[in-house]
């Protein structure tokens, strides 16, 4: 069994990757469990640091190739692929950093007589075998976010990439091995969904990390073996509140990036923008005009700003959703149609009904919806009405509005004067409600993949 | 529908408590969701502090009654019930304390150009409606550990106590209301298992806190609605390593408390003690002699050290497990038999087979198993061999052995020269593997019941 | 030798307090040193907690008397004295809280081979004998801020109150003793300045805490014995920037409190207000009208908002400074004159020259200066131009201005839409430049009075 | 004016370095003050990170040369100089790391009504111009510890190296400039003592960092300008307790390193070793035999373990102290004499009187004193009896003794089974009593060179 990797732009085959079968996975899981149980064979922290530093150095040398590979398998425009490669490297650096932060604390014991005379402190230990399943949209950096923390934390890890984009994953795993990580500590495990599910739900799996669709993520949680821990990172339909009177040009520039970056295939992509009703028309027109100027095309071209969707079926789906929204009363401002089997034009829709798919579900395509509001509290209520909550944003120069939105918008992060897709790799990054489980971001993932063990010493009395 | 509460010692009825039906629970869940969504109605932190302080004051006044009620419904010996009442009060105090610790952090944004010029910090928000299901063995303090952090964190909470011991829960909920907590923020919800499951798995439940059997806990996880968070606290079969040459009397005194406190009905009760083979016989005899001296009987009697098991079926079960262990080759040192329908004598078994239930599963009764070892690493291996891992212990005065056990024993806490049931209410308390999920202890539970929300400010430039 | 305490309002004698002579201080210092060196005699943390809790309870019972005593010896208006008493009690509570926070950390040792295999963690120990000298303006709460953290941290402490206001200090020390603190751990040490200096500069003094004038504080630093640590809390001439377009009434209400509270005898009192030139006249007039309405008089009267200055000499000095400012070109808007030997009327001056004393030095009286600005950056420059820097403030609803001021105003704290005297007792409170040394606030003072000791364990290898 | 640098081994001149005169220092101080006051000209954190990373890379390339230079000017044996160079590089890395840790915290404001509705958080700002004076014994790494944190924290810095060893300092400053740090941010400032004192005590100096003798350090503190902050790192006479029954060979190997590394010219060098009286003779003989085997000679020789003292006067002084100790009753076990004008033989003295200089003052030469004890508490008392306290150690495999020593030995760090000179560059490193002021170690120094500024937001109410 194997999977054929296609260039999402022209659907040309790029590479073949053999799929791993269950007996192999089964063996790897046992091996991982043994590695974890044999404390004498653990890699010392300074060994892990050395490996990760070498890996980052290798990546720095190959950054250009890694970027091109992201373009080739993932269809992300070159300029953005370069940024991704740079972030992936810095994410490896962040793992080294997070190791230095320790994580242990003294727990005072003498607050009551019951604990008096004892000393207690905590320290971190690897949680055990990690199984990770990743998504296609950032084929290198997502992998790094799931695999490098496991290596840093001292956990053996099996990683299943998205089958559309396994090459960046394969490269990163190879680089780790090249940097000195014994192969058994990190296994490249592309496989079919049934086998993936078996791997995930196996009782030997101590921690399961998933980036992908909410539906599959929560289904997998319900099938986990007792004792298996889990982190989920899904998407949402990220809302943006625009206050009245803000300088429109800057806001639009930010939203263009936040909504059309990687053609909207980002889990915190700007999807729903709420604008004062009085400014709605002008705002939407300006946004539409700007969107029309975006360069859509071959991601390998350095000028391209929006590349293909990952699969033709996705183009079909986005087209259907947009059509539905227009038919139900939304106004198309720009875009709205497929440019090819893999390209969809950047699209702005004004006031699609709240019940339409584009208002309810994650689009994961180049579509921004703009809604007018008279009462900001109603806009916030609508922004919060979905079962998803991840990152949200407000554009304003008023303290009152900024704080009101920070407090009131549902989400784990509220940006003031930045779009919803803003992210640095060391910050917490957490889907709430159905948008995810646990907290991502390098140091947080490392904490998740560790246990905080406590030693409590009841000291014997010294007699000289 | 109602449940009749019996005194576990004499099986006399003590009280009746009406059970809550689904329509009522359903209404409470909706109410809880609305409370959480209406940010303007949230209780300010200083209001919550005032309520919790008043509640603690009321509890201090009624401490004696609360202790007697623990005796009456739970069968815990009076002296230990008094300790529990005291700890419950101090657990409320700890909630106030944890509120002061804040929890937010600045996240530096200017480590790369991508984030430069921004300010970011995190702060805590309530996670939403909490549903809690509790256990019988600490009828007041467990309830406090599940309910008070929810109140402190600002979450509406529905609490289902163990149906054997609902009275302490009812008292605590009443005290909260008396202290000024509006009733809707905390609902006393004793109900049947089917209704409890419906409540737990309802999508309006944001967080589910469970203390009880591993089997039920993990089953409930598999049925949760997408988006619901969870904490589980189960038990284990806690191991103790005794080094050679330690002063036996002190170790035995500690193990007696750790193994026979509340007749072993404690999730981190001492269950498996590993002793150097050369000292095994003397150690077991001394332990047996000490166990035989324990006063077993009516928990209301101030002299009683071991009271009843919670139900006759539990006496039956413990009897079967002990019989099985002896039949399979274990040596009975003391106890081993029922004293009445509700009392089981403190029991010490030497070298029951590894495959016997007393070596494999949580006994939750007054039984300590003692195993001889020649090689401490094999003892540790056996200690770690179960799918459970919670607290472990070692008795030694040697640095080398202490550290080796701290590092090697599976568990979230390793006590040096204390028994496995050692706990103070502010320390982390976490079942690993199948023994639990998440971290208990007042400040940790409060963190679990909160989200850490981040505000990222991209500052507009000042022009005067 | 004794000091006579006068009511600052009517100069009537209130009480006599004997002064302590050097032989007694000398003995106390030796005693303190011995207490600190004899680790076996240290009070356990739970004992200190119990003492502090009892002390807070006693204070709660006597809150009214404590407030009246503050009025009597300090001349603080009753309504504010009540607030002070409440804060003093809560400051004792905060000490208990801070003890629970521990303070120790694991220091990871295995980041390099040099440290590999070791475990290290830190924990707190008392620093040793504390000598504290306090100020008159918050006769109870300042004492609590200097003494209670010492007791909580486990340090013996000698406290010299301001000789104008020794009674609140005496009461607090008595309450500590009544609450169970052995007398030797806290000594009430009113004495003359020469003896105070001898006490401060004695080599047995491990930590010196000073609240008072900058001149004396820095002079004492230069005379400390080698090894003695120090914290200084002086004052400044706190600046406020008012943005254009803010709602004037709210700002003025806040500045009235911040500038005239306790007749300006507060180290972070509002002193220099910068207002857009176009709004200067209206702003100053409104502020003046509001200041004129303040009730000035007997602090024991519940209606009084501004009471006396602590000494007639202070009235004289404030009068001279105001006269000088007016003579040099400042415009008097209201007040500007003495009402009696102890009362000075709330005063607003517009545009006193930058070189005048009221623009350069801490007034410590009921005087607010208002300056017009055209360019906010020049206003900030002027605000920052003094060798003092403590708390600053800005009133605005614009994000851009708020952040600009937060970043640019010199000080340890910048309030947005609060006056400069805003303080809660758990926040950091630190004079920068000549305004102080170290960080005040209960948990910070406790950290200062502790050392963070590290244990590094190089584990021997276990051989069973 | 210039200083001539000599090779301490053969006293041959190595280089000349011009000394800086006051007009130049004066100009640099003004420049530094202006740099700090002009916030717009500050280097962004990501710029500082880039500079420090480049500097570390350059140092990695020149590590061999840097090590040889340490040998040449400092006389440190080559093998140890290489370790120092490696640590210096990693200390620069640690600065980058510490920048990522941020340091800001949310301060909850709503614990009382007084603060309710506000948001507060802290963040770090550079403290201002740093003046540093360094010592000769680690000519590169000490400089890095004083200069790199200043650069990382964003402070302009003037560094005066020890005039015996200015070359490593000069190299490091040049490397910083080469890495992109504008020259004005870091000035190489070798100068005479009178000018150094003028620089230190100038009011423009915000922070003064000193590594050197206690006498000079505390004298300089007494002359600082009001407002100037300070950190001092002096030495002590580090004590070691050896428990009975420990394996002697390992202890001696550790003490040899801890006592004779860089011929004892280390501020935490092992100086006073307390051994059970019954083992004293054997212990001292074994230690003596091992010390005699140390290779003493030309530090440029890769085999050399002990090189020269920094100046002939130091050899004279050490000789006098040893002679005095022997004359007063101490027993010489080995060494005790000069081998040349610059070399002193590794020396072990048994039971020198407590009053002798070697028992009272820091030797800063290759001398270890061994004392017998019968009662460990008396040994601890003697260990603690000096006005110095820095790092201490105990060798034991008994928990009881380990904890007793950790608790009882005066010092900021107690090593268990490591010598007193153990240090990694990220751990806290603090002289207590007269041994220093403030806490060293990269992240701690960076905190010292920053202020933690707080923003308190009182939010206006949103009206849509």
């Amino acid at each position: 069994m194997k999977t054929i990797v296609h260039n999402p732009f022209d659907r040309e085959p790029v590479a073949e990757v053999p799929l791993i079968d269950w007996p192999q996975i089964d063996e790897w899981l046992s091996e991982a469990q043994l590695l974890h149980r044999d404390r004498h064979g653990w890699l010392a922290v300074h060994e892990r640091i050395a490996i990760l530093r070498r890996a980052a150095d290798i990546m720095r040398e190959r950054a250009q190739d890694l970027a091109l590979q992201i373009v080739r398998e993932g269809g992300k425009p070159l300029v953005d692929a370069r940024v991704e490669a740079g972030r992936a490297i810095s994410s490896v650096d962040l793992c080294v950093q997070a190791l230095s932060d320790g994580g242990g604390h003294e727990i005072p014991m003498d607050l009551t007589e019951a604990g008096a005379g004892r000393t207690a402190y905590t320290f971190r230990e690897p949680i055990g075998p990690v199984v990770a399943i990743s998504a296609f949209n950032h084929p290198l950096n997502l992998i790094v976010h799931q695999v490098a923390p496991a290596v840093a934390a001292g956990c053996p890890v099996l990683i299943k990439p998205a089958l559309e984009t396994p090459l960046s994953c394969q490269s990163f795993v190879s680089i780790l091995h090249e940097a000195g990580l014994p192969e058994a500590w990190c296994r490249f495990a592309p496989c079919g969904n049934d086998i993936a599910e078996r791997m995930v739900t196996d009782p030997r799996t101590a921690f399961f990390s998933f980036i992908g669709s909410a539906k599959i993520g929560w289904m997998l949680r319900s099938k986990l073996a007792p004792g298996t821990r889990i982190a989920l990172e899904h998407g949402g339909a990220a809302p943006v509140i625009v206050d009245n009177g803000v300088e429109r040009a800057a806001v639009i520039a930010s939203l263009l990036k936040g909504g059309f970056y990687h053609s909207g295939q980002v889990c915190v992509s700007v999807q729903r923008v709420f604008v004062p009703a009085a400014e709605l028309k002008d705002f939407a027109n300006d946004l539409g005009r700007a969107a029309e100027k975006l360069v859509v095309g071959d991601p390998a071209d350095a000028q391209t700003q929006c590349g293909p969707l990952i699969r033709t079926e996705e183009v079909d789906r986005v087209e259907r959703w947009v059509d539905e929204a227009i038919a139900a009363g939304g106004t198309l401002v720009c875009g709205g149609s497929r440019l090819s089997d893999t390209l969809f034009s950047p699209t702005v829709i004004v006031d699609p009904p709240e019940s339409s798919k584009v208002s309810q579900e994650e689009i994961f395509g180049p579509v921004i919806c703009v809604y007018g509001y008279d009462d900001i509290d109603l806009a916030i209520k609508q922004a919060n009405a979905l079962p998803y909550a991840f990152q949200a944003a407000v554009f304003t120069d008023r303290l009152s509005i900024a704080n009101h939105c920070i407090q009131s918008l549902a989400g784990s992060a509220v940006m003031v004067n930045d779009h919803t897709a803003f992210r640095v790799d060391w910050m917490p990054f957490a889907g709430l409600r159905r948008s995810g489980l646990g907290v991502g971001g390098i140091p947080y993932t490392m904490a998740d993949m560790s246990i905080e063990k406590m030693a409590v010493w009841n000291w014997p009395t010294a007699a000289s």
Side-chain angles (χ1 to χ4, degrees), chain A residues 54 67 72 94 117 122 148 166 174 178 184 186 220 229 233 253 257 273 276 300 314 326 334 435 442 463:
Chain A
R54 278 193 295 266
R72 210 151 47 231
L94 288 168
T122 65
S174 295
E178 196 177 332
C186 181
L220 286 173
R229 274 72 176 151
E233 192 174 301
K257 191 75 192 170
V273 180
E314 291 298 296
I326 304 304
C334 74
S435 292
I442 293 292

Side-chain angles (χ1 to χ4, degrees), chain A residues 161-361:
Chain A
L163 293 190
E164 295 89 347
T165 58
L167 303 178
S168 299
C169 176
Q170 192 172 32
S171 297
F172 181 63
V173 174
S174 295
I175 286 170
L176 285 172
H177 296 158
E178 196 177 332
L181 185 72
E183 295 205 1
W185 285 93
C186 181
R187 295 295 187 180
F188 176 61
C191 60
N193 288 340
D194 50 341
I195 289 173
E197 183 175 321
R198 214 165 150 187
M199 170 169 73
V200 165
T201 59
D202 190 282
R204 289 165 295 187
T205 299
F207 190 84
F208 170 47
S209 162
F210 179 78
I211 302 179
S213 89
K215 199 175 144 191
I216 293 179
W218 293 107
M219 177 276 287
L220 286 173
R221 178 173 78 157
S222 74
K223 296 189 172 179
L224 292 178
T228 303
R229 274 72 176 151
I230 180 172
L232 299 173
E233 192 174 301
H234 308 313
V240 176
I241 306 283
V242 179
D243 189 13
N244 53 52
V246 295
E247 197 217 331
R248 198 174 300 151
V251 177
I252 283 173
S254 180
L255 295 183
L256 274 188
K257 191 75 192 170
F260 297 125
Y261 162 65
H262 202 4
S263 298
Q265 298 172 110
V266 174
C267 63
V268 284
S269 209
V270 169
Q271 181 166 339
R272 299 178 295 147
V273 180
F274 300 86
V275 175
E279 306 180 21
L280 176 61
K281 202 169 164 186
D282 289 349
F283 189 96
N285 286 340
D286 286 2
L287 179 60
R289 267 194 295 274
E292 279 168 346
K293 289 188 193 139
L294 291 170
V295 181
V296 186
D298 186 347
D301 185 330
Q303 308 309 313
T304 296
Q305 294 172 285
C306 294
L309 298 191
I310 190 68
R311 281 187 310 268
T312 299
E313 294 86 334
E314 291 298 296
V315 178
D316 297 344
R317 181 186 54 78
V318 171
E319 190 173 39
R320 278 198 312 275
W321 287 23
V322 170
D323 289 351
E324 182 219 53
I326 304 304
T331 305
L332 190 69
V333 177
C334 74
S337 58
R338 64 200 304 149
L339 301 175
S340 76
D341 269 10
T342 59
L343 296 174
F344 196 88
S345 57
T347 297
V348 175
I349 306 173
V350 166
D351 275 338
E354 263 201 77
S355 61
S356 62
K357 280 214 176 57
V358 296
S359 298
Q360 287 285 329
E361 299 289 336

